[in-house]
């Protein structure tokens, strides 16, 4: 069965595809066809060469100032990058990509590509004829191969158009930014498609019987023209993590955990979390409004539990609120320890101010804030230790997600104190 890797365009987001490649190597997943658009075509050519170490080294060395003639002081700032690109669009018809062209010609080994058994295809658009161009390796002459790679990645109007034999070419994303159909036409019977969620048109898949495994970033990636070393390293890690999760070699949704660690976390703390919740509301007047919240109704009235999906959502929500690193691979112990540390280090704000907002039902300002979770945590701590708080039920009703997040940290904290 022929397997194709399909790589979408997305500028600097393409570092994610290097992480995907690393994971495919780790999982011993081979491929017979590679198709790509824009940066996906560039990465695809490297994948045909099957030299991952070289591809990884290349991406780790890439920066905005190395691939464009214009310099940017801080490559991590999208505003500076956009300002430079905008100036070039107005003055020069787009960025001069001659340095990028030289880099591509230096890294592409035509002897390996044309002798490889791995087939290759790319997408570009002929601006002169206003027609898409889908090319396979066998249809591209060796002396024009790099030109068409560059044409596929010519993100007009940000980049100047690419001229080949009297025709002007622009980015393939203007026709198909995820060329699954091209892979199918080339004989693919199974597809692994990496969709960077970048701007561009995606054609509908022509054959619904083809097995397609999509790998899509769970976290937001840096803007497509931010070629910054730190962001690129993070993006590579995210590509690796998401691919390993897609093939069930790691666990998690937004954040990433070692295999089976989330299940261990659930089995260890879920029952205690339910016990703590019931202890909080036991013999208290939990109103009809509280029981309208689905999760509380199930637990308090039907003696059901929190599902694994709900539990993972709590874990993810907390990581986002407390800004844990998205590209690390965690054990549940390390993750919970970091959450507790972040909560304890969160600066408390005036309880009077919070309670005033609760009383006035003006809670929009408090949503998803680390300090409101800390406040709820302190309320839970007081109530479980016998100190009443009249805002307990209003907090649970108005902020059920934050309430469960605070309860989770309270439940897991005993491991660390």
């Amino acid at each position: 069965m022929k397997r194709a890797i399909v790589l979408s365009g997305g500028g600097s987001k393409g570092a994610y595809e290097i992480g995907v490649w690393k994971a495919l190597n780790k999982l011993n997943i081979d491929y017979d066809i590679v198709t790509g658009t824009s940066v996906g075509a560039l990465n695809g050519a490297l994948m045909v060469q099957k030299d991952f170490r070289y591809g990884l080294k290349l991406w780790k060395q890439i920066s905005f100032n190395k691939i464009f003639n214009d310099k940017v002081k801080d490559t991590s700032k999208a505003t500076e990058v956009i300002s430079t690109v905008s100036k070039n669009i107005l003055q020069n018809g787009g960025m001069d990509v001659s340095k990028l062209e030289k880099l591509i010609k230096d890294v592409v080994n035509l002897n390996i590509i044309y002798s490889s058994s791995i087939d290759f295809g790319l997408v570009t658009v002929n601006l002169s004829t206003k027609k898409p161009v889908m090319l396979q390796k066998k249809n591209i002459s060796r002396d024009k191969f790099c030109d068409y790679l560059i044409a596929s990645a010519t993100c007009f109007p940000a980049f100047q158009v690419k001229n080949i034999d009297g025709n002007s070419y622009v980015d393939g994303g203007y026709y198909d930014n995820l060329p699954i159909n091209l892979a199918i036409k080339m004989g693919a019977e199974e597809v692994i498609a990496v969709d960077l969620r970048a701007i561009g048109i995606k054609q509908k898949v022509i054959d619904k019987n083809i097995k397609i495994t999509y790998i899509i970033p769970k976290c937001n990636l840096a803007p497509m023209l931010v070629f910054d070393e730190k962001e690129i390293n993070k993006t590579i890690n995210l590509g690796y993590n998401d691919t390993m999760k897609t093939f069930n070699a790691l666990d998690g949704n937004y954040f990433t955990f070692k295999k089976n660690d989330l299940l261990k976390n659930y089995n260890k703390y879920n029952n205690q979390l339910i016990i703590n919740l019931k202890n909080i509301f036991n013999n208290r007047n939990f109103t009809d409004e509280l029981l309208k919240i689905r999760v509380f109704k199930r637990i308090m009235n039907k003696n059901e539990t929190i599902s694994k999906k709900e539990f993972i959502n709590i874990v993810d929500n907390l990581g986002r609120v407390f800004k844990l690193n998205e590209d690390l691979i965690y054990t549940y112990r390390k993750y919970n320890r970091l959450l507790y540390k972040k909560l304890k280090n969160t600066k408390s704000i005036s309880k009077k101010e919070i309670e005033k907002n609760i009383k006035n039902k003006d809670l929009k300002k408090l949503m998803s804030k680390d300090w409101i979770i800390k406040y709820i945590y302190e309320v839970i701590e007081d109530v479980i230790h016998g100190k009443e708080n009249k805002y307990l039920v209003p907090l649970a009703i108005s902020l059920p997600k934050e309430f469960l997040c605070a309860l989770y940290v309270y439940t897991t904290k005993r491991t660390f104190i």
Side-chain angles (χ1 to χ4, degrees):
M1 179 175 287
K2 285 191 174 182
R3 179 185 293 123
I5 307 298
V6 178
L7 305 173
S8 84
S12 61
K13 297 176 191 286
Y16 183 92
E17 294 169 344
I18 298 300
V20 173
W21 187 7
K22 178 182 177 182
L24 294 177
N25 287 342
K26 177 78 172 179
L27 297 165
N28 293 315
I29 294 175
D30 217 335
Y31 46 89
D32 308 286
I33 300 166
V34 182
T35 64
T37 297
S38 195
V39 73
L42 304 181
N43 285 333
L46 294 174
M47 289 188 74
V48 173
Q49 293 177 198
K50 301 207 83 170
D51 190 346
F52 169 74
R53 289 185 179 180
Y54 186 71
L56 179 63
K57 181 181 179 181
L58 172 69
W59 269 96
K60 284 182 173 288
Q61 292 177 343
I62 280 179
S63 70
F64 188 93
N65 295 333
K66 285 182 180 179
I67 59 177
F68 299 115
N69 289 325
D70 289 71
K71 303 296 182 184
V72 173
K73 288 183 179 179
D74 188 345
T75 57
S76 67
K77 290 185 178 179
T79 51
E80 288 193 27
V81 172
I82 291 170
S83 175
T84 299
V85 172
S86 299
K87 182 185 73 174
N88 274 274
I89 291 173
L90 294 173
Q91 296 179 358
N92 306 314
M95 297 287 291
D96 180 349
V97 295
S98 56
K99 288 175 72 173
L100 178 59
E101 289 193 21
K102 184 180 183 306
L103 176 65
I104 291 170
K105 290 177 180 178
D106 287 343
V107 301
V108 171
N109 189 319
L110 294 174
N111 289 330
I112 294 176
I113 286 175
Y114 278 92
S115 63
S116 173
S117 61
I118 301 169
D119 206 354
F120 175 74
L122 60 80
V123 180
T124 182
V125 173
N126 187 324
L127 196 60
S128 301
T129 63
K130 297 181 173 58
K131 290 182 179 180
V133 178
M134 290 162 285
L135 295 171
Q136 298 178 39
K137 179 173 66 174
K138 63 183 180 182
N139 302 130
I140 308 173
S141 63
R142 290 170 65 104
D143 63 321
K144 290 292 190 294
F145 187 87
C146 289
D147 288 333
Y148 280 108
L149 276 183
I150 295 160
S152 180
T154 298
C155 184
F156 181 80
F159 299 170
Q160 295 172 4
V161 298
K162 176 62 179 176
N163 293 307
I164 305 174
D165 296 332
N167 287 300
S168 298
Y169 290 85
V170 294
D171 200 290
Y174 282 103
Y175 175 71
D176 192 356
N177 205 38
L178 189 64
I180 295 173
N181 290 333
L182 176 57
I184 294 172
K185 288 178 180 177
M186 292 169 65
E189 299 164 284
E190 178 187 353
V191 170
I192 298 172
V194 185
D195 184 355
L196 296 175
R197 298 187 302 179
I199 296 172
I201 296 168
K202 287 182 285 188
Q203 298 293 329
K204 289 184 179 180
V205 178
I206 55 177
D207 188 343
K208 302 297 182 183
N209 296 316
I210 298 293
K211 178 186 176 184
I212 303 174
T213 301
Y214 288 95
I215 300 172
I216 303 172
K218 303 285 187 182
C219 306
N220 292 326
L221 305 181
M224 62 182 293
L225 290 176
V226 175
F227 288 88
D228 175 72
E229 181 180 353
K230 183 178 178 181
E231 288 294 339
I232 283 173
N233 285 330
K234 177 182 176 181
T235 302
I236 291 171
N237 291 340
L238 291 173
Y240 176 83
N241 294 351
D242 286 347
T243 305
M244 297 295 280
K245 286 185 285 189
T246 298
F247 289 99
N248 299 313
L250 291 173
D251 287 343
N253 182 29
Y254 192 86
F255 292 90
T256 306
F257 295 83
K258 289 189 174 181
K259 184 65 179 172
N260 295 321
D261 246 47
L262 276 179
L263 180 60
K264 292 176 185 176
N265 191 42
Y266 178 81
N267 290 337
K268 183 169 184 177
Y269 293 115
N270 184 55
N271 288 339
Q272 187 58 50
L273 190 147
I274 299 302
I275 290 169
N276 287 343
L277 184 63
K278 289 185 175 181
N279 285 340
I280 289 170
F281 292 111
N282 189 34
N283 298 323
R284 289 184 174 84
N285 181 25
F286 49 87
T287 63
D288 291 339
E289 285 77 11
L290 179 65
L291 295 180
K292 288 179 182 177
I293 308 298
R294 185 173 63 88
V295 65
F296 295 137
K297 181 178 181 180
R298 285 197 288 102
I299 294 168
M300 304 307 297
N301 275 5
K302 298 183 179 180
N303 290 319
E304 294 182 10
T305 187
I306 292 176
S307 70
K308 291 175 185 177
K309 183 178 179 180
E310 289 171 322
F311 201 84
I312 291 173
N313 284 340
I314 293 171
V315 170
D316 274 344
N317 288 337
L318 276 163
R320 288 182 175 189
V321 168
F322 288 108
K323 296 180 173 59
L324 298 192
N325 288 343
E326 300 164 338
D327 62 320
L328 295 183
I329 299 172
Y330 293 96
T331 64
Y332 76 88
R333 289 186 178 90
K334 179 180 179 180
Y335 191 87
N336 291 340
R337 187 182 300 114
L338 286 171
L339 289 177
Y340 182 67
K341 183 178 179 180
K342 289 274 190 177
L343 181 137
K344 296 303 288 185
N345 290 337
T346 296
K347 184 179 178 180
S348 298
I349 68 167
S350 168
K351 290 187 177 181
K352 288 184 179 180
E353 182 181 343
I354 294 177
E355 290 167 0
K356 179 182 176 181
N357 287 331
I358 296 171
K359 187 176 180 180
N360 296 333
K361 297 183 179 181
D362 184 16
L363 293 169
K364 290 184 179 180
K365 299 174 185 176
L366 308 180
M367 294 297 286
S368 300
K369 300 289 186 180
D370 50 359
W371 41 265
I372 191 60
I373 289 178
K374 181 170 185 178
Y375 173 73
I376 297 172
Y377 173 94
E378 292 170 347
V379 169
I380 289 171
E381 201 169 38
D382 286 345
V383 169
I384 286 182
H385 287 88
K387 185 179 179 181
E388 292 298 324
N389 188 304
K390 64 181 179 179
Y391 296 112
L392 176 70
V393 173
L395 281 168
I397 292 170
S398 302
L399 301 167
K401 289 182 180 179
E402 286 75 8
F403 190 91
L404 288 172
C405 283
L407 184 62
Y408 175 92
V409 179
Y410 177 83
T411 302
T412 61
K413 73 166 186 175
R414 66 183 60 202
T415 308
F416 318 117
I417 59 175

